[in-house]
Every structure is written in structure tokens, then in C-alpha cells.
Amino acid sequence: MRSIPVVVPLCFAAFKTVLAAIDSNNTDVEGHSYGVDVSFPIFKRISTNYPWLPHNIDPATPTPRAMQGMPLQPLGNRQDIYNKHLTSCRTFYSKKGGNCDMYEYDRMLMNQRQPQSMQNYTEIGFLKTRAPEDVTELATKFYDQNRLNAERENWPTGNTYINTWDAPTYMIKIEDKRLRGGGFKLRQQLWDAARESIEDWMGEDLSPTSLYGIRVYTEGAVLLPHVDRLPLVASAMVNIAQDVDEDWPCEIYDHDGKAHNVTLQPGDMLLFESHSVIHGRPFPLKGRSYVMLFIHFEPTGHTLRHVDIELPDQDVEEQYKQAARDNRGGQSAASDSLPPYIIRESPEETHWRNFHPRGWTPPEFNPLKRSTKSKLHQAASEGNIDAIERALEADKGGSVAGGVRVVDYRDEEGWQLLHSSAASGHKEVVELLVEHGSDLNIRTHGGHGATPLYIAEHNNGGFHPIVRYLKSLGALNLGPEL
């Protein structure tokens, strides 16, 4: 059974506990481990509590007051590295070098404010996996065709996030129609190709927010640990290509404040909750180039989580005891015009409302696009007629699907098996379900959505065999009441 993502809101008390005991939630580095404020300042000043100091060697030696509560520093003199980073920024921007300090203040303030104020959707906040083939193929082809047309990025004056004064970054803009294969169509194709994987991991219906292009990092590049600005919430970084002497790790902090160093090879993808998970690359890139694609989404407020059920195999009488879902759709978007990923009465709510006095406009929710799949719905979507037949044969007055007939079983968006099979174009499954009493004109989303005929025609075209079959039976073509 597919694992169900866990919603983990990090309350203020728990967040403070993490800050206070961060040195017990950390990553091993040569026998030691670390959390925040070790590689670079994240919440406040960087740790100078070195392992070789007397109080860390001899338990009988009192800990100096200035180092009480300070995490152990196993990475050496990171303070000096940070000082050089900030000094180089000030020098480069000369008279406007004061902006560097402003950016640093803002970065650390966001790191403190956002993670504790965000609704978290997964257990630890990130997942390394392989990118969908369509994403890799589309992005790699575009990069190979336009790699010589990369333009140097112009970062805001004083931006400290990347040391572009020493290691400039270059951008190949996806939507640039002057480039081979570029344009808004490609951008939409990449969003569509990545969406299902991220929705499946997050358990939420998602709407695209940002996909600005392919970034090329150069030798010596450093990216300071940060969280992304809203509404960049559900994100993916994809390694498109690299020319490196050694792996360039992404330092990412899970929801407990533990640092992980994750390396990506071409074709690898890192899914992460960029609104609440602090991430960066504090160790310089050793190599000529590192090419990344960044894809961002925002939750619409409609959950895709549901109680899953197994397909009958041997002991059918012991399976499918989950309660059937009702006819309603998923959770509705947050009320009071506050995005569903911001915790109420949190520091971010006040900050967000100050900048958005008119409130939040929920992204469009597309009821014709479904990502939620119970085992039965997945079988219908894949055209697995054998699995559907087994379920129908085992169905004795609703014993399989928790008290309702298999043909009437709905997922959390109100989809029945007939909707799923019609959407995916599997005529044999559609015919089988109709023969067993599926309602031709049943609508999704509690009776306010689309009929099977509407979905079949919308997804497969007006001349598809399913469309002709349903029309021959007198099915109604009714769209969703948006």
C-alpha cells in the first residue's frame, strides 16, 4: 500500500525545544554531528564551541557562559569563512555594501519565523528520488540545445544568498521563446510532468507557482542556508548535468532541525517543503559547473489523502474493512483568506497579513485532474481489468469496499471507478463497470463535479471509443459547477 504522508505541524513549544537541544538532533561529521548555526549562521551567530575546548574534553571543566547552550562546532572555524563571505559582499557592492547586512538580517529572520509558522505535510520534509523521465528528458534536451545561450544572472544589490561576486551564476530561461524549444508551453509541460510525483509525496492538490529556468552554478559557488519565500511551498530541485571534481552536497534540515547532506547525480530529484525546510550549499562547489532545475508549487487547500483499500487477493472476507468515503470532496481551502500552509496565530500570519491586506486567493482547483488513487481506483486508471473483475466477484453486498458496492465506491474527491477508467481511456473496464450497474451520470465532488462522459471527452477527445459508447447509452455530458 502506498504510504500516506503525515501532517506534522511544528508547534511553537516543540520548535523552541529544537532550538534549545539542537546539538542532539544533528548529522555525523567525522565522529561528530551538527544542527543549525554550525555550517553558517541560520538563526543567530555561528557556533564557536569547538570540540577541543577544555569544557568539551573534561566534563569537570565548567562551560563558559557565552557557550552555554551553543551547539558543538565539528566543522572547524566556520566563523572565519562566514566573515570572509560577508566582507566580500560588502567590498563588491562598495557604497551599497550595507545592503549585505540587511539581506543577512532578513535571511535569518525568515529562518526563525517561517519554519515554526508553517503547516508541514510530510514526516521529515524532504525526499531524494529519481526525477520523472519526462522531466529529465524535457529539461536535458532544452539545456543541451541552449547551454551556450546561458545569461549571467543579475542578483539584487547586496544579496548574500549566493556569492555571485566570486562565482557568478547563469540562467537559461525556460519561457524564453528566442531559445530552441523555449516558451510557456515547455514550462507547462515541465510543471505537468513533475506535479504528480510531488502531489503523491505531499498528499495535496498543487498549483504551479514558479519555474523560471535552469541555473548553472560555477566553481566556488556557495548558497547560504535559507527557506523560500511564500508561496513557494512544495518544491523540487533536479540535477540536469554536472562537471565536478567531487559531489556538491545540499545541506537540508529536517523538521526536527537535524542537518542532512544530500548529494544528487544527473537525473536525481530532491523533493522538499521549501517553505519550512532550511536548505543551502555552504561548502564551495569543486568543479566547473552544476546545473539545476527548480520547480515550485503551492497547495490549493484540497487534500488528496484518503483511507486506502487493498484489492482482494486470497482472503477476500478479511479485506476492505475500511469505511467508504462519503460523497464530499477533499478539504476545502483555508477560510479567512489565510493560505492553508500558514498556522493560525503564528508569527508568519501577522507578517503575511501585513503584506497581503486583501487576503489569499486560492489557486484554481482542477476537478478533472485526479492524483488520489485507492488501489481500486488505481486499477481502474491503469486498465487492470483482472483486478476489477476480482473485486466485483468478491463484492457481496458491499463487503469489499467498506459497506458500499464496488461500483459505487468513491475516493475523497468523489470519483467512482467509472470516472477513473473513463478518464484514462480504458473502454473494457468502462463496459465491465456499466454491466455491473455503474451509474452513467454520477457526478464527482458530491454531485457538483463532472459526469464520466464529460471527463472521457475532456481527457480523450470527442471521437474516443468510450465517448461513443457512453453516448450510445444515453449518458449525459455534464461538466463541473465551478
Side-chain angles (χ1 to χ4, degrees):
M1 184 188 303
R2 181 175 65 117
S3 61
I4 302 298
V6 178
V7 179
V8 188
L10 190 60
C11 67
F12 303 147
F15 187 77
K16 291 179 180 178
T17 301
V18 169
L19 299 188
I22 199 72
D23 56 341
S24 64
N25 296 309
N26 33 40
T27 293
D28 289 333
V29 179
E30 297 181 355
H32 296 286
S33 52
Y34 72 95
V36 298
D37 295 325
V38 174
S39 64
F40 266 103
I42 292 179
F43 295 135
K44 47 187 178 181
R45 67 189 183 93
I46 197 167
S47 173
T48 54
N49 187 20
Y50 304 111
W52 46 262
L53 291 174
H55 63 275
N56 289 322
I57 297 176
D58 181 7
T61 302
T63 301
R65 178 176 298 179
M67 293 187 180
Q68 291 178 2
M70 183 180 291
L72 196 67
Q73 176 54 273
L75 302 180
N77 189 356
R78 297 294 300 181
Q79 181 65 55
D80 185 54
I81 294 173
Y82 176 65
N83 289 343
K84 290 179 180 178
H85 178 91
L86 201 52
T87 299
S88 296
C89 179
R90 294 168 182 152
T91 301
F92 179 79
Y93 289 108
S94 186
K95 294 181 179 179
K96 296 185 178 180
N99 287 6
C100 302
D101 298 273
M102 294 174 59
Y103 266 95
E104 276 302 273
Y105 175 79
D106 181 65
R107 179 182 68 87
M108 285 186 269
L109 194 63
M110 283 181 61
N111 287 343
Q112 294 175 36
R113 185 184 68 244
Q114 272 193 209
Q116 63 170 310
S117 303
M118 295 296 106
Q119 175 72 56
N120 296 324
Y121 296 94
T122 66
E123 187 171 1
I124 66 172
F126 68 91
L127 173 69
K128 176 183 174 180
T129 185
R130 292 293 290 178
E133 289 185 6
D134 287 350
V135 171
T136 303
E137 291 176 3
L138 287 168
T140 301
K141 180 180 179 180
F142 178 73
Y143 171 69
D144 289 340
Q145 291 177 333
N146 299 285
R147 58 192 306 174
L148 299 180
N149 296 316
E151 298 180 353
R152 180 166 178 169
E153 285 190 274
N154 294 316
W155 292 85
T157 301
N159 189 304
T160 55
Y161 282 51
I162 301 180
N163 58 333
T164 54
W165 48 87
D166 290 329
T169 59
Y170 296 84
M171 178 65 65
I172 308 174
K173 296 181 179 179
I174 293 290
E175 69 274 12
D176 190 342
K177 294 182 180 180
R178 298 173 299 172
L179 302 180
R180 293 185 61 186
F184 294 106
K185 180 179 179 180
L186 175 60
R187 185 177 66 174
Q188 189 62 52
Q189 288 175 328
L190 287 166
W191 268 329
D192 292 341
R195 188 202 308 256
E196 185 173 356
S197 295
I198 305 177
E199 283 185 334
D200 186 64
W201 175 63
M202 288 277 289
E204 295 289 314
D205 180 77
L206 301 175
S207 178
T209 53
S210 177
L211 198 165
Y212 38 82
I214 295 176
R215 175 173 290 149
V216 181
Y217 297 91
T218 58
E219 187 166 11
V222 169
L223 176 62
L224 299 196
H226 64 284
V227 290
D228 289 352
R229 296 184 184 278
L230 303 177
L232 308 185
V233 177
S235 303
M237 61 175 76
V238 183
N239 185 327
I240 304 302
Q242 63 180 32
D243 179 12
V244 298
D245 299 323
E246 61 182 54
D247 289 332
W248 192 32
C250 174
E251 182 186 78
I252 188 165
Y253 293 79
D254 63 28
H255 290 321
D256 290 328
K258 180 180 179 180
H260 303 258
N261 284 287
V262 180
T263 59
L264 302 176
Q265 300 299 319
D268 284 345
M269 176 171 69
L270 183 64
L271 307 178
F272 61 113
E273 297 183 57
S274 58
H275 69 318
S276 64
V277 168
I278 296 168
H279 55 283
R281 297 180 185 269
F283 309 105
L285 169 61
K286 296 182 179 180
R288 272 63 54 196
S289 63
Y290 194 83
V291 185
M292 298 292 290
L293 172 69
F294 297 92
I295 307 172
H296 302 281
F297 294 87
E298 175 188 23
T300 65
H302 292 263
T303 184
L304 298 181
R305 297 180 183 87
H306 67 287
V307 178
D308 210 347
I309 59 177
E310 295 286 352
L311 288 172
D313 186 9
Q314 297 177 349
D315 300 321
V316 295
E317 298 295 335
E318 298 299 322
Q319 298 188 27
Y320 307 111
K321 295 187 178 179
Q322 304 278 14
R325 310 304 291 174
D326 60 19
N327 291 345
R328 287 295 183 184
Q331 292 178 356
S332 60
S335 59
D336 297 338
S337 299
L338 184 70
Y341 42 83
I342 298 178
I343 297 175
R344 295 186 176 283
E345 300 182 1
S346 65
E348 182 60 30
E349 178 181 2
T350 302
H351 178 267
W352 188 89
R353 290 192 186 279
N354 286 338
F355 286 89
H356 302 85
R358 296 185 178 180
W360 182 66
T361 301
E364 180 180 355
F365 173 59
N366 183 0
L368 297 176
K369 173 192 68 64
R370 53 169 276 88
S371 295
T372 306
K373 295 185 179 71
S374 71
K375 293 294 183 180
L376 282 174
H377 286 87
Q378 183 173 342
S381 297
E382 295 173 351
N384 189 346
I385 194 168
D386 292 336
I388 299 298
E389 285 179 336
R390 290 201 309 271
L392 291 169
E393 291 171 2
D395 188 10
K396 297 178 181 179
S399 63
V400 172
V404 299
R405 297 188 308 161
V406 166
V407 294
D408 296 329
Y409 176 72
R410 292 178 181 264
D411 67 8
E412 192 152 311
E413 303 300 340
W415 283 55
Q416 293 185 355
L417 303 186
L418 186 59
H419 297 109
S420 297
S421 55
S424 301
H426 298 295
K427 184 171 182 286
E428 290 184 355
V429 177
V430 169
E431 291 175 333
L432 179 64
L433 293 169
V434 171
E435 290 172 5
H436 282 77
S438 285
D439 186 343
L440 291 177
N441 300 316
I442 194 72
R443 302 177 75 169
T444 62
H445 295 78
H448 300 287
T451 60
L453 175 56
Y454 182 94
I455 293 174
E457 187 168 359
H458 183 277
N459 283 20
N460 306 303
F463 297 101
H464 194 276
I466 290 179
V467 174
R468 295 200 299 268
Y469 170 69
L470 292 176
K471 285 183 176 179
S472 72
L473 299 177
L476 300 178
N477 191 334
L478 301 177
E481 300 173 2
L482 298 178

